[in-house]
Amino acid sequence: MDMDTTSTRAHDDIRTAPRALATEAVHAGRDDLARQGLHAPPIDLSTTYPSYDSRGEAARIDAFATTGAEPDGPPVYGRLGNPTVARFETALARLEGTETAVAFASGMAALSAVLLVRGSMGLRHVVAVRPLYGCSDHLLTAGLLGSEVTWTDPAGVADALRPDTGLVLVESPANPTLAEVDLRAVAHACGSVPLLVDNTFATPVLQRPAEHGARLVLHSATKYLGGHGDVLAGVVACDEEFAGRLRQVRFATGGVLHPLAGYLLLRGLSTLPVRVRAASATAAELARRLAADPRIARVHYPRIGGAMVAFEVHCDPHEVIAAVRLITPAVSLGSVDTLLQHPASISHRIVNADDRRGAGVSDRLLRMSVGLEDVDDLWSDLDAALGQRPERGAGNCANHHSAPALAN
């Protein structure tokens, strides 16, 4: 056996052997670059591609229309697929432990595609557990895609199933209360009905729902997967059969991901484990300090950890939002900088007030996405925002002294 053959096989063994999450985050979707003489992934901005074989193109389009499989050979058209986006899809599937993944222009576009796939099969009924992200809740409740929803708690999933149930939907940890669901138990209760888990808050760094029986794993990739607050995207990690249907919906509805966004997401994945673990350590410490602070009524922090902290204040939460200086008062999450928002006013405003409160989203709840700043600097900003200021009068948190409670 010559040296070149031995070297090639050794490299192949490295690519096919099981790899740690941190290694996959850096290398998945990039395995072919060295063979092309490249180090950084290229960005393919083409919307269309030349082909002199129209008969071959027709056959590939027929195959896509039948199964939704990605066409073999060169790309055809940007709405059918893009090489840069495909790299991100490959990498995310590897991190989540699924056969493949399908990327969309936003998390809501991704969820909409899942509902359209199931609805096209006459399975329009959805069983869902609150809380969910507010727009996900609204999409189901308003029936905008013809879906009908039954809301239940995790223990009631099996009883809520009907012959026309096409999907069970949970979010764990949930937005914004960080409530957790026993995914394995819910997956068992689903039987043959696909379980979709919104894994946006946890990311595959903290949990991989497919390992617990979920068929579909949803991300608002805008958040931790991108990680820098500069890309809007969604993705569903799943098996190839379901992915084929999702690609057909994406092609028909046009909810495609821009190649530049695909590039930014692939770059974001490379630092995902480092970012999530660093931010999680800071979040855990802030949760500890908040739980010991008499100005705080309750702290929500998940058992699996993570970079999200929710807390209920005794005072007017709007005053706290107005007082932060280092922390950014803004919606969204998962960025390198810390963000703070009031769910009842923004992310969950679209949810009926009684349903919102019934799901634990109180009017005094604040949701904080912890970034990569120094923990003491963040605490100093929070402490000042919660502290007594003469201009705030009786509404200030410092005027309350009941002991806080740590939830989850």
Side-chain angles (χ1 to χ4, degrees):
M1 183 182 296
D2 61 56
M3 187 63 70
D4 288 343
T5 302
T6 302
S7 177
T8 299
R9 290 186 178 179
H11 282 296
D12 288 342
D13 289 342
I14 291 173
R15 285 195 295 271
T16 58
R19 303 191 293 198
L21 181 78
T23 304
E24 289 285 27
V26 172
H27 290 279
R30 303 168 177 83
D31 292 329
D32 64 324
L33 293 180
R35 294 194 301 274
Q36 299 183 56
L38 299 172
H39 184 240
I43 307 175
D44 187 334
L45 295 173
S46 299
T47 57
T48 191
Y49 300 85
S51 173
Y52 295 94
D53 180 12
S54 57
R55 292 186 182 89
E57 296 293 88
R60 295 203 292 156
I61 295 296
D62 286 346
F64 177 82
T66 302
T67 67
E70 294 180 286
D72 293 328
V76 178
Y77 182 57
R79 196 149 40 86
L80 273 165
N82 172 273
T84 306
V85 172
R87 289 182 182 277
F88 162 65
E89 293 171 330
T90 296
L92 192 276
R94 291 259 283 274
L95 293 181
E96 283 289 3
T98 60
E99 289 182 348
T100 190
V102 183
F104 294 86
S106 70
M108 291 308 301
L111 177 58
S112 296
V114 172
L115 295 174
L116 287 170
V117 166
R118 300 305 282 167
S120 70
M121 302 170 68
L123 302 171
R124 299 183 180 278
H125 179 243
V126 178
V127 174
V129 176
R130 279 187 172 122
L132 295 175
Y133 169 52
C135 288
S136 299
D137 189 310
H138 177 69
L139 181 65
L140 294 173
T141 303
L144 295 175
L145 299 179
S147 56
E148 178 186 349
V149 61
T150 297
W151 296 101
T152 185
D153 58 30
V157 167
D159 291 337
L161 299 178
R162 304 186 330 203
D164 64 337
T165 302
L167 190 71
V168 175
L169 174 58
V170 301
E171 185 175 356
S172 183
N175 187 352
T177 66
L178 307 179
E180 293 171 275
V181 174
D182 184 337
L183 299 180
R184 194 174 299 278
V186 172
H188 179 74
C190 290
S192 61
V193 177
L195 170 63
L196 183 153
V197 176
D198 187 328
N199 202 33
T200 299
F201 277 22
T203 81
V205 177
L206 300 180
Q207 73 179 10
R208 307 210 309 178
E211 295 178 349
H212 300 286
R215 185 177 180 187
L216 307 164
V217 182
L218 174 74
H219 286 271
S220 171
T222 307
K223 314 307 194 292
Y224 289 103
L225 303 190
H228 294 76
D230 55 7
V231 60
L232 195 68
V235 64
V236 179
C238 57
D239 56 80
E240 181 57 43
E241 180 185 0
F242 206 103
R245 300 298 299 272
L246 289 173
R247 293 187 196 105
Q248 290 175 324
V249 169
R250 182 177 65 181
F251 174 72
T253 60
V256 296
L257 184 66
H258 192 276
L260 180 57
Y263 172 85
L264 291 172
L265 288 167
L266 184 64
R267 187 178 68 170
L269 288 184
S270 64
T271 60
L272 178 67
V274 176
R275 287 186 288 104
V276 168
R277 288 167 182 154
S280 296
T282 300
E285 173 59 19
L286 291 176
R288 185 191 67 79
R289 296 186 190 186
L290 287 166
D293 195 311
R295 296 169 295 183
I296 306 301
R298 192 180 190 192
V299 177
H300 304 258
Y301 190 68
R303 288 182 296 273
I304 66 168
M308 300 298 300
V309 181
F311 55 97
E312 298 171 43
V313 296
H314 287 296
C315 61
D316 184 347
H318 301 286
E319 295 294 328
V320 180
I321 291 284
V324 292
R325 293 295 177 265
L326 177 65
I327 296 169
T328 302
V331 296
S332 199
L333 55 111
S335 185
V336 291
D337 60 320
T338 299
L339 308 176
L340 184 70
Q341 69 114 341
H342 183 240
S345 294
I346 306 179
S347 64
H348 290 70
R349 188 65 178 181
I350 202 167
V351 180
N352 175 275
D354 290 338
D355 293 335
R356 186 171 67 231
R357 296 183 186 112
V361 186
S362 78
D363 291 343
R364 294 189 181 273
L365 181 74
L366 293 170
R367 190 196 73 186
M368 181 168 60
S369 169
V370 178
L372 300 180
E373 302 95 335
D374 180 82
V375 64
D376 289 327
D377 288 335
L378 290 173
W379 177 249
S380 178
D381 194 35
L382 277 175
D383 184 49
L386 292 167
Q388 189 170 12
R389 302 290 178 90
E391 67 271 21
R392 294 187 200 160
N396 183 260
C397 295
N399 296 317
H400 300 270
H401 302 286
S402 60
L406 179 63
N408 295 348

